[in-house]
Amino acid sequence: MPTSYLIADELAELICRQHDVFAIPMVQELLAKHPELFDRLRLAVRRHMRMVSDYRPEAVDVPLLFLRADLVPGQTDLDEIRVLRGDERAWAPLVTRLQVHGVACTHEAMLGDEALQQVAPVLCAALAGSSA
């Protein structure tokens, strides 16, 4: 079994533990009716991982404003957060200009009121400077 599958399986188990997924009544009910459900989901994720690993994006001639969620529960180091969330600098070779703006929120809260108060002025400034 490829290492990436093992990592994905471990990540899935970690997420399920952190969010106590198996204690959710609806999940318990689904698993009681369909005990193979998580095995099927695991296979689907593996297929998707294979497709993603084969995909090679082409560069585009556009600037990119990347809004980065700077908070991860239990993490304070930006490099560790990048490992968990992905490094926005990976976009740089694919766009003409990469502008990164950190938002003091978690990824899950990015569209919440507090985050949008931070994001709205950045978006307005970026759009005002664009020729679109």
Side-chain angles (χ1 to χ4, degrees):
M1 181 182 311
T3 304
S4 61
Y5 292 157
L6 293 174
I7 292 169
D9 288 350
E10 291 170 7
L11 180 60
E13 289 175 19
L14 173 69
I15 291 169
C16 287
R17 277 196 314 274
Q18 280 187 334
H19 296 283
D20 208 11
V21 169
F22 296 109
I24 300 170
M26 185 176 80
V27 172
Q28 292 174 348
E29 185 179 322
L30 278 170
L31 287 175
K33 290 180 182 177
H34 308 282
E36 76 290 350
L37 178 64
F38 276 97
D39 289 332
R40 287 180 164 185
L41 288 172
R42 182 176 285 120
L43 288 174
V45 167
R46 288 179 180 172
R47 287 186 195 116
H48 291 192
M49 286 176 61
R50 199 171 321 126
M51 287 188 296
V52 166
S53 68
D54 292 342
Y55 177 70
R56 299 292 179 261
E58 293 183 22
V60 291
D61 187 20
V62 297
L64 173 66
L65 171 61
F66 187 97
L67 301 169
R68 181 188 61 226
D70 280 348
L71 302 180
V72 172
Q75 297 292 329
T76 56
D77 181 82
L78 184 56
D79 288 330
E80 290 180 23
I81 291 171
R82 283 184 171 129
V83 168
L84 291 170
R85 293 282 192 223
D87 192 333
E88 71 278 356
R89 295 172 292 191
W91 286 97
L94 301 172
V95 296
T96 54
R97 185 173 58 88
L98 173 64
Q99 178 185 356
V100 179
H101 182 81
V103 181
C105 70
T106 64
H107 178 78
E108 295 78 9
M110 185 64 84
L111 296 178
D113 290 341
E114 290 180 28
L116 289 176
Q117 290 177 8
Q118 298 174 60
V119 168
V122 174
L123 285 175
C124 288
L127 292 172
S130 74
S131 60

